[in-house]
Amino acid sequence: MAILDTDHRRVLTLPGQRVLELGRGRPLVMGVLNLTPDSFSDGGLFATVERALERALEMEHEGADLVDLGAESTRPGGGVYGGGARPVPASEELDRLLPVLERLRASTELPLSVDTRKAAVARAALEAGADLVNDVSALADPEMSGLLADEGVPVVLMHSRGELERMQHDIAFDDVVREVAEELSRRLEEAVSAGIDRRQLVLDPGIGFGKTASQNLTLLREIDQIRALGRPILVGASRKSFLGRITGRPPAERLAGSLAVAAWCAARRVDILRVHDVRETLELLDTLEAIQRSRDEDRSPEEAS
Ligand code: HH2
């Protein structure tokens, strides 16, 4: 089996005739830009417009394929996360998001996604030039699916259960992989029934959202079963607390664990990796790809044909 598979090309269509090509041989790297005071690993770091712009352009320079702007922390409540993030009203989310998004859009063609659960925020972000919507609630806002069907942009549907505030208190799966796959499949079909183009939908198992550390590991181990739903897969495991359980490290020191997950996912043809450490993740993926390519180049012409 090829480590980095090139036979699963798919295209997400962005506004303005632009595309995101998936399955080109390595996962795409989505850089995280948290415009929040309270995100679990980097809250407050990019809280000024200047600092946020600088980080976004730095990620572009490092080779990010897209950048995900989030202005509300989605840190779940309970367990290692304590009380969870404070929900913010749409007006506050927009006050954090729009000044950065507008200036970023004016400076780069890089695909920009908005990480939001609110249709009002998604609408304003798309008007300001966002290209895709990353919804960790998978269309819980009743206005969201209609908006996305009309806009026709790519959408990430992430698996989670229950309210963020209590999510880590109420964990109950008999078979985490089967149940996540079934629930994601239901959300996928609901999205399609609501008029969203199936070809624009990306699925995400929601690592860290209402799952125990060992359930997160099981989902990663069995990620092929989520891929079997037939849509591109995004994984967001970067710096998450299950990595801290393994390595004993605080969020900002979980690079090695995050890279291990990236390598695992690349070998299983995950399409998009949502990461804080863009440069290091790309160096890892480039190295995997070089090993793969060297094997192809070493083959004799007969073997390679
Ligand atoms: N994880 C976080 C936020 N958004 N989106 C998707 N699709 N998948 C994820 O796993 C995911 C996500 C949480 O990470 P982060 O943004 O770093 O923290 P916070 O929510 O505290 O801002």
Side-chain angles (χ1 to χ4, degrees):
M1 184 191 80
I3 291 179
L4 295 165
D5 196 317
T6 49
D7 293 335
H8 287 76
R9 284 171 198 245
R10 286 207 183 96
V11 166
L12 300 174
T13 307
L14 308 178
Q17 318 289 319
R18 288 141 67 238
V19 293
L20 265 182
E21 256 193 83
L22 307 172
R24 284 179 308 179
R26 65 157 173 84
L28 297 190
V29 172
M30 170 192 259
V32 177
L33 186 64
N34 281 323
L35 309 171
T36 49
D38 54 350
S39 287
F40 77 96
S41 84
D42 54 4
L45 269 185
F46 312 112
T48 68
V49 175
E50 292 307 326
R51 191 60 204 99
L53 273 175
E54 202 181 301
R55 177 61 189 142
L57 296 173
E58 182 179 52
M59 288 193 282
E60 177 177 33
H61 184 70
E62 290 174 345
D65 298 289
L66 63 164
V67 166
D68 189 39
L69 289 82
E72 177 190 45
S73 172
T74 49
R75 179 165 40 90
V80 293
Y81 297 105
R86 179 180 68 88
V88 295
S91 56
E92 196 172 329
E93 207 178 322
L94 284 168
D95 285 347
R96 294 174 184 170
L97 177 69
L98 288 183
V100 178
L101 176 57
E102 283 164 1
R103 284 193 47 197
L104 191 55
R105 184 71 299 162
S107 5
T108 176
E109 286 282 296
L110 189 69
L112 301 175
S113 98
V114 59
D115 182 347
T116 188
R117 300 181 285 160
K118 301 187 189 76
V121 173
R123 181 178 293 111
L126 291 169
E127 271 167 28
D131 298 297
L132 57 155
V133 174
N134 172 23
D135 182 358
V136 301
S137 76
L139 314 179
D141 182 333
E143 310 271 302
M144 191 65 113
S145 43
L147 169 74
L148 297 174
D150 290 346
E151 296 284 342
V153 292
V155 183
V156 179
L157 298 179
M158 195 198 78
H159 178 274
S160 66
R161 264 189 192 172
E163 294 300 314
L164 277 179
E165 295 71 31
R166 286 201 47 80
M167 202 170 265
Q168 294 303 115
H169 289 290
D170 304 326
I171 301 173
F173 289 99
D174 289 325
D175 177 339
V176 68
V177 179
R178 182 177 51 75
E179 289 168 54
V180 167
E182 279 172 7
E183 289 166 29
L184 268 180
S185 167
R186 213 169 300 138
R187 289 303 174 102
L188 171 67
E189 296 312 325
E190 283 165 8
V192 173
S193 303
I196 300 178
D197 186 341
R198 185 183 295 273
R199 291 168 301 181
Q200 294 285 65
L201 289 163
V202 174
L203 302 178
D204 177 341
I207 299 296
F209 285 82
K211 286 117 190 161
T212 64
S214 85
Q215 287 164 350
N216 291 320
L217 294 170
T218 303
L219 277 168
L220 290 170
R221 196 188 71 223
E222 300 295 334
I223 195 73
D224 282 349
Q225 295 192 44
I226 310 295
R227 277 187 60 82
L229 297 175
R231 295 305 311 146
I233 301 297
L234 182 150
V235 167
S238 177
R239 300 187 184 176
K240 285 189 175 167
S241 70
F242 75 102
L243 298 171
R245 290 271 182 108
I246 299 169
T247 62
R249 296 288 177 186
E253 295 173 25
R254 293 179 188 155
L255 176 61
S258 304
L259 292 178
V261 175
W264 178 269
C265 288
R268 278 152 196 83
R269 307 194 311 258
V270 165
D271 297 274
I272 305 175
L273 296 171
R274 182 181 181 277
V275 305
H276 300 83
D277 302 289
V278 168
R279 178 173 61 79
E280 293 84 349
T281 305
L282 277 163
E283 286 175 5
L284 170 113
L285 295 173
D286 287 347
T287 308
L288 286 177
E289 209 168 18
I291 296 169
Q292 170 75 28
R293 254 201 325 267
S294 88
R295 203 191 63 171
D296 290 346
E297 283 160 10
D298 289 346
R299 280 191 200 157
S300 66
E302 303 86 83
E303 263 184 302
S305 62

